[in-house]
Amino acid sequence: MGAVKGRFAPSPSGRMHLGNLLSFLLSWLSARAAGGTVVLRVEDLDPLRCRPAYARQLMEDLVWLGLDWDEGGDIPAYWQSNRGHLYTRAFEALESQGLVYPCFCSRAERLNEAPHGHEVSPSCPCAALAPEEVQAKLAQKAPSWRLRVPHKIISFTDGCQGPYSQDLWRDCGDFPIKRSDGAWAYQLAVVVDDADMAVTQVVRGRDLLSSTPRQLFLYEALGLTPPEFYHVPLLLAPDGRRLAKRDADLDMGALRQQHSPEELVGILGRMAGLLDRPEPISAAQLAKSFSWAKVSREDVTVDAALLAP
Ligand code: GLU
């Protein structure tokens, strides 16, 4: 196997929380333990939610934690808002294969677009519109654009979760690659960028496991080589919800007031199954004994005891 290249792919829509940190720590450890490099790409596709100030803050938070990168960061070419020309080229390549169609449904428009959005039902009535109907509708409304998916089972082995398969048509359906307001969808951008940046391993939260077959289908349709995937446990609030940026008590602002970087790495290392107890340790030190075999597959409920240094 060639050189390992991992990545951080944060969406700058708020301060990072403990769950984001766990994914980034594991991504960094995995790349560094293999002697590899790390790229930081800013996923600021959604102009309504993303702010440059959040991106700068999260880079500062990563550095504070001891997680560095070799490529990207504040370089504009690594911000998705500046990479539309690459997404346009991929869109055209898909269109030339007859895989893209305009969708005029307002119901589905807001679903399935965010990485963590819900799925929609397989069939979209717009897939069956006659060319004249499409022309008439285009004159009235800006469409979103969907990718036509085949009846196909997509299987792969996740480096953390093990074998996974999905019937693309039944479990996911035709999915949007561009919104009606012109914003590119996460699924398309992430594939184009990971391939363009020559990323060899994607480490991210388990909530994105079900997006991976869609992305593998895009890799295949675009003639690109997919990376390896590692979907890591999620951190849950005591009531069972996935931690979100709105859980301000567990965001980096609060965490930095209460813990040193080494304490926080120790806490995260224990949550991930890498340490038996939350001893303070630097990320660089933890990389020395890192192995995916030790990383737990189970989601972790975060309570006060786990946060005690
Ligand atoms: N930017 C995405 C997020 O914040 C991560 C996408 C990925 O890791 O593939 O959830």
Side-chain angles (χ1 to χ4, degrees):
M1 196 178 124
V4 169
K5 193 177 196 185
R7 44 75 146 180
F8 302 136
S11 298
S13 58
R15 195 91 188 246
M16 285 190 293
H17 60 70
L18 206 58
N20 306 127
L21 290 182
L22 181 66
S23 301
F24 292 151
L25 175 65
L26 289 171
S27 189
W28 187 91
L29 290 172
S30 179
R32 294 301 189 210
T37 55
V38 177
V39 50
L40 191 155
R41 176 174 70 242
V42 177
E43 302 215 323
D44 58 343
L45 283 178
D46 188 339
L48 300 176
R49 294 173 56 235
C50 297
R51 306 228 174 97
Y54 289 139
R56 283 192 291 273
Q57 177 72 68
L58 71 86
M59 288 185 220
E60 210 259 304
D61 284 340
L62 287 171
V63 170
W64 177 86
L65 200 63
L67 306 185
D68 60 349
W69 55 93
D70 309 282
E71 220 183 284
D74 48 18
I75 298 170
Y78 287 79
W79 291 47
Q80 289 189 324
S81 56
N82 296 322
R83 299 175 58 81
H85 55 291
L86 296 171
Y87 313 141
T88 302
R89 206 159 70 198
F91 182 93
E92 288 167 1
L94 297 167
E95 207 173 26
S96 70
Q97 298 172 56
L99 288 173
V100 180
Y101 65 88
C103 168
F104 302 92
C105 309
S106 42
R107 180 189 67 86
E109 214 168 72
R110 295 279 147 215
L111 298 178
N112 211 13
E113 294 168 350
H116 313 292
H118 339 212
E119 320 296 353
V120 292
S121 64
S123 51
C124 169
C126 301
L129 290 175
E132 320 77 73
E133 290 173 291
V134 169
Q135 288 313 320
K137 283 180 181 284
L138 280 174
Q140 287 165 17
K141 188 176 183 206
S144 61
W145 298 87
R146 280 181 184 276
L147 195 73
R148 208 182 286 281
V149 302
H151 287 269
K152 185 173 180 179
I153 309 277
I154 301 223
S155 305
F156 72 105
T157 300
D158 187 80
C160 189
Q161 303 293 327
Y164 184 78
S165 25
Q166 199 179 71
D167 177 328
L168 205 53
W169 189 84
R170 195 198 61 205
D171 300 335
C172 167
D174 297 349
F175 61 90
I177 56 172
K178 191 176 188 184
R179 285 192 341 202
S180 59
D181 63 2
W184 294 100
Y186 156 73
Q187 308 290 357
L188 180 70
V190 77
V191 166
V192 168
D193 286 345
D194 280 330
D196 183 64
M197 295 174 188
V199 166
T200 67
Q201 56 172 234
V202 165
V203 179
R204 59 189 179 193
R206 203 180 53 77
D207 52 325
L208 289 169
L209 183 62
S210 65
S211 283
T212 307
R214 261 171 283 181
Q215 295 171 16
L216 287 169
F217 177 63
L218 279 166
Y219 276 101
E220 192 186 309
L222 292 167
L224 301 170
T225 307
E228 291 180 337
F229 292 95
Y230 298 83
H231 287 88
V232 304
L234 300 179
L235 300 188
L236 308 176
D239 63 3
R241 277 181 308 111
R242 189 165 63 85
L243 285 191
K245 287 187 174 134
R246 62 179 180 277
D247 290 304
D249 50 336
L250 290 177
D251 82 8
M252 264 310 247
L255 292 167
R256 280 178 67 163
Q257 279 176 8
Q258 288 151 26
H259 304 283
S260 68
E262 291 76 17
E263 277 170 15
L264 206 47
V265 169
I267 289 168
L268 290 165
R270 175 162 173 239
M271 287 177 176
L274 295 171
L275 297 171
D276 297 333
R277 48 195 185 85
E279 58 195 286
I281 186 169
S282 69
Q285 194 62 31
L286 193 55
K288 293 190 181 148
S289 59
F290 176 81
S291 140
W292 277 108
K294 293 187 198 164
V295 177
S296 141
R297 292 185 184 188
E298 307 298 324
D299 291 347
V300 179
T301 300
V302 177
D303 56 23
L306 273 179
L307 284 171

